[in-house]
Amino acid sequence: MSEMNLVVFLARAGVGSRRTCDELVGEGRVAVAGEVVTFPRHKVGADEVVTVDGEVVEAKELRYVLVNKPRGVASTRSDPHADRVIVELVPNGRTLFPVGRLDVDTTGLIILTNDGVLANRLMHPRYGVSKTYVARVRGKVSRSALDALREGVQLEDGVTSPAEVRLEKQSNKTALVEVVLREGRKRQVRRMFDAVGTPVEELHRRRFGPIGDKGLAIGAFRDLSGDEIEALRRASEAVVRALDDEVEGEPLTLAGEAAPASDSES
Ligand code: URA
């Protein structure tokens, strides 16, 4: 590794967003070659050891790949029952982990990464980032069904948390409904629609937190941009703040996610 800006080094080590890394440096918690450094753009030399709060951190080549999963592909790293697994869709994908799951029959966005810290935060079952789905369902969806989906429906593993639900199109036989969830329970969208009597026929995830699928065909993949990675890091830090607030009994919000640094969709 050649010389690298200290904040870039810390972000590549998975320490946090550039903003958080800037703050850590400013607070005097970062040392380079044994000396505390408070200048965020300090150049880190190839052989210099960097510590945060006394712990050594290493910048590695972190990869973040966005995949638009086709039907029939399992979103795990290996599955003896599946024809194909998602890591096979990406060159050298076997070194990466899927952030969360989609059913084999569901299409849509899934991130593959080797940044374990970020992945774990984004996948938190209660406060994880928002996930936006579009469901094509059988039958007409009544206003009361939409309200029930919004407020919470009883599933066998408990009542669902409030969701954003929007009817996009409706005909006599079928409807398209957008659902935004923050929870991540197994087959949650399908089970929610089953509970209100309009089963899902097709399900697609069109957004994952601040990242949208615009321009990415089903089956295609691309590296996330620097701005998208930064937006995900901020969203993951909002998850950490929500957990801290929970400990202190404060109300929970994931405000950091609402203001992505930049997004391919507008
Ligand atoms: N909800 C589902 O029912 N399936 C998915 O794949 C994701 C969310």
Side-chain angles (χ1 to χ4, degrees), residues 69 75 101-107 131 133 181 183-192 200 203 205:
K69 185 183 96 58
S75 58
R101 297 276 166 90
L102 287 176
D103 302 332
V104 171
D105 286 346
T106 301
T107 57
K131 276 120 346 207
Y133 299 91
L181 297 182
E183 295 181 288
R185 303 194 214 168
K186 208 164 184 229
R187 298 181 71 81
Q188 182 164 344
V189 176
R190 293 176 195 274
R191 290 190 295 138
M192 286 169 72
V200 170
L203 185 61
R205 181 154 76 193

Side-chain angles (χ1 to χ4, degrees), residues 227-265:
D227 284 344
E228 287 174 326
I229 296 166
E230 181 68 2
L232 276 181
R233 288 200 176 119
R234 288 199 198 152
S236 81
E237 285 165 3
V239 172
V240 175
R241 280 198 297 282
L243 289 166
D244 287 349
D245 287 349
E246 183 186 44
V247 171
E248 290 164 18
E250 298 279 326
L252 299 167
T253 56
L254 291 176
E257 189 189 334
S262 109
D263 188 0
S264 50
E265 278 193 343

Side-chain angles (χ1 to χ4, degrees), residues 44-55:
V44 180
D47 301 322
E48 289 182 317
V49 174
V50 177
T51 58
V52 177
D53 295 334
E55 300 276 336

